[in-house]
Amino acid sequence: MSVIHQNLSTSISSSTSTFLGHNNLKSIKSSNVSIPGRISGVINCVATPSAEKTAYKTKVSRNENMGKLQAGYLFPEIARRRAAHMLKYPDAQVISLGIGDTTEPIPEVITSAMAKRSYALSTVEGYTGYGAEQGEKQLRAAIAKTYYENLGIEEDDIFVSDGAKSDISRLQVLFGSKVTMAVQDPSYPAYVDSSVILGQTGQFQKDVEKYGNIEYMKCTPENGFFPDLSAIRRTDIIFFCSPNNPTGYAASREQLTRLVEFAKENGSIIVFDSAYAMYISDDNPRSIFEIPGAKEVSMEVSSFSKYAGFTGVRLGWTAIPKELLYSDGFPVAKDFNRIVCTCFNGASNIAQAGGLACVSPEGIKAMHEVVGFYKENTDIIVETFNSLGFKVYGGKNAPYVWIYFPGQSSWDVFSEILEKTHVVTTPGSGFGPGGEGFIRVSAFGHRENVLEACRRFKQLYK
Amino acid sequence: MVNAVSCYFTKVERNANLERLQYNYLFPEISERELRHVKKYPNAKVISLGIGDTTEPLPEIIASSMADYARSLSTPQGYKGYGAEQGNKELRKAIAETFYKDMGIKDSEVFVSDGSQCDISRLQMLFGSNMSIAVQDPSFPAYIDTGVIIGQTGNYEKESGRYQNIAYMECGPENNFFPDLPKTARTDIIFFCSPNNPTGHASSREQLEQLVEFAQQNGSIIVYDSAYAVYITDGPRSIYEIPGARKVAIEVSSFSKIAGFTGVRLGWTVVPEELVYSNGFPVINDFNRIVCTCFNGASNIAQAGGLACLSSDGFKAVLSNVNYYKENAKILMNTFTSLGLRVYGGVNAPYVWVHFPGSNSWDVFNEILEKTHIITVPGSGFGPGGREFIRVTAFGHRENILEASERLRSFLS
């Protein structure tokens, strides 16, 4: 089996389509690119005003929120560096444990359902046009039953989507620019970035590497990767991902109970990201709704991406309880429904057919097998770094291993690992200042690639 | 239902912009009414010429390409994870070559999406709340509604049926459904749909030249919605056929009405490299950032379908369905015309725009529904300029179109 890096063509296109348009380093040198603000990986061959003073400009002001963003979104930046590395070393066998991209084929029970739906669309009886924006009834019911049985979350509380990333932005559109938010530090970058885009934040403060007006809840080895809630100021919204990307830490029942209490005291709304819940090994809660009182203060976002390998197929959901109300008593779900009807038009019907198969008994069994495979990968990576004497976190309840490199810049470590082992990881500071000094290694990969990568790590750090 | 007395309220304020929205989004409202009508008359055969929902099955060549692709995701060689957020390289190329041949649009300027409604919202997020917008009146409701949601507008004024701070460009029989641009205030963004939903009017080359010039003079950005361009019998299909458009326009389009992909979800937006903000910053760079941060690409299976649509055989098959709907439109046009009504659209778009002078469109909608069991869409749902009109879609099985025509003839004569 090849150890050549997965998704070669897609990663190149991710970087070059934005980067150069023609996958050609020559173009960078020959164009005068001087775009205000540091934009990485998004350099187009555009002649800028400095080169052509007579170039036409509209009179439309750039959205200043976009100007606040510091760099490109994290993962295209990783893709860009991987692509550049591969150009530099065309014969190297690059292994990608960076972007958390699934690698194993989707179980047949799921793809055959999608194939079946595709064919059905070419028949008179089977053709369907617009679906309900909230998702197909059957699928909503099946998600409620599979993940929220006995938790009081019903079919009509479920909103099917094209994935968590899109949902997070639609939630930000829902909340608007006047809300304040808290995030774990480190955390999945989409929460912060979408907040900046929607105008909830102030400028980026270079000295602390934080955006103004966001409450960063530090999660480090010192506090067991759960924030010290007594030190956190009140915000309207609290983004909380558990198991956490990137630290891999899954909050305990007791901790989530405290989180819910904290939200209740402050009248805040928790947006609970449970995209990795199926990776939990021990008996930590899989859903925020397992905590009594959570329905009045939280909503939950989840995804089929990491369960069923649907990273390209695109399917997820958001659950909003009827009990979740704004300060004037208006139900949050009602406004979200309006957003979903106006700013979205439903997840692809074929993907939804796949989703229905995912939550069938056979599908759930198959998803557990795939998840189990990646968990074995995680064990191998954890064991490797443990044996090398590193302080290793995560890995038990998530497909990410969070490795401590004390006193070092995570981008430097990332570069060194890439240069010396041709393995792509993700630098912790990409997830927030609390990630500085850490490297995230993702456990998605073919078994032989993971084993080979670990061999190379052992070589480098022996 | 939750007990209002004892239930808990968070301390999070409802987004005032959501509060500003007047009604439900138009199309779920139409669905609601259809459901109620069906409950009231369980034995009636309701014909839906309301929501512009495609009805004819996908051509086999396209469905089977998606089925094959889905199956390949179960194989080691065929499995694909995350795709490029901007879309599959081949598909971007095919879109550029099929729709923008000789217009200088590069693959890298094409962003594949899960449809226009999503693209319009992402464009609004891109623009932000400090923009002024102009829309045709009447127009597809998503432009206005997303404008309200993002915070670009003031309050709704009941008397005029308009939101403050939006420039409504009236399009009616009096001005041949093209706005009186000299009378139009400058706005940052101009949403322009041609062929227009709901009026069906496809702007001429001369009109589009006027529009581009207007945008250039004002330093505005046109968001050109060409979702129905394949229905055009005669006239420009893309804004980029107009010289100078690359510096002032974004184009949004969709496979929904081209290929029956209303449920499959696939579309695209073109952002030319020359389109820059007042400070010289390329719009495409920011749109790319939005796409990478707020989106994760259209479904790879839908994209495989899109590629099949743009193959030689696929495109032929897809156009065959388009012609089917155009035939439907002709039948409906003839029906209304024969009844002595003033009818517009229908030639370059799958919508027929029927004038009932002096009426209130919701009343006409209700009456048609009650007496003929046909769902249409009241024109005022598209803006105050639509208040005396009814939109009838040409999407439907031929026998339903013919049956509907019969019923309308009986009822309206």
Side-chain angles (χ1 to χ4, degrees), chain B residues 21-253:
Chain B
L21 285 169
Q22 279 307 293
Y23 314 105
N24 289 335
Y25 189 58
L26 175 63
F27 303 109
E29 178 63 30
I30 303 298
S31 284
E32 240 308 282
R33 302 225 181 185
E34 180 170 355
L35 277 169
R36 272 188 261 158
H37 187 81
V38 166
K39 276 209 181 94
K40 190 173 169 189
Y41 298 99
N43 295 320
K45 193 186 154 217
V46 175
I47 298 177
S48 187
L49 301 180
I51 294 171
D53 196 6
T54 47
T55 55
E56 299 314 289
L58 300 184
E60 253 195 68
I61 183 180
I62 292 156
S64 57
S65 78
M66 292 196 288
D68 287 345
Y69 189 89
R71 271 195 297 261
S72 76
L73 294 172
S74 279
T75 66
Q77 322 80 5
Y79 179 73
K80 293 272 188 316
Y82 284 118
E85 298 90 339
Q86 307 82 2
N88 168 278
K89 225 177 179 330
E90 262 189 86
L91 179 58
R92 297 170 82 186
K93 186 162 189 267
I95 290 170
E97 281 175 0
T98 304
F99 299 103
Y100 304 104
K101 207 174 182 66
D102 302 325
M103 292 179 222
I105 297 294
K106 303 180 191 166
D107 317 347
S108 55
E109 295 170 324
V110 177
F111 293 82
V112 180
S113 75
D114 60 328
S116 299
Q117 205 158 271
C118 311
D119 270 340
I120 287 160
S121 284
R122 281 190 283 268
L123 285 169
Q124 295 286 42
M125 284 182 64
L126 166 75
F127 296 138
S129 60
N130 285 335
M131 293 283 175
S132 50
I133 68 173
V135 294
Q136 291 156 300
D137 178 20
S139 70
F140 181 51
Y143 316 133
I144 290 176
D145 285 19
T146 55
V148 176
I149 288 170
I150 281 288
Q152 294 162 351
T153 80
N155 287 322
Y156 183 77
E157 290 167 339
K158 264 203 160 65
E159 322 81 59
S160 62
R162 297 176 167 194
Y163 289 93
Q164 289 165 342
N165 209 38
I166 297 183
Y168 287 75
M169 307 184 293
E170 279 170 30
C171 293
E174 330 72 52
N175 58 12
N176 287 319
F177 296 98
F178 187 79
D180 187 352
L181 292 176
K183 288 218 179 87
T184 306
R186 181 203 175 272
T187 56
D188 295 305
I189 311 296
I190 304 168
F191 283 97
F192 201 91
C193 179
S194 181
N196 183 263
N197 174 10
T199 70
H201 177 76
S203 298
S204 67
R205 186 168 308 273
E206 199 223 277
Q207 286 171 331
L208 292 182
E209 280 168 359
Q210 264 186 62
L211 180 68
V212 167
E213 209 193 308
F214 178 69
Q216 259 171 352
Q217 280 163 8
N218 285 345
S220 310
I221 294 177
I222 300 166
V223 174
Y224 190 81
D225 186 342
S226 64
Y228 300 98
V230 280
Y231 288 81
I232 294 177
T233 304
D234 184 30
R237 296 208 164 131
S238 163
I239 191 67
Y240 303 116
E241 294 186 39
I242 311 301
R246 285 175 55 87
K247 299 193 197 111
V248 299
I250 290 171
E251 184 161 310
V252 178
S253 197

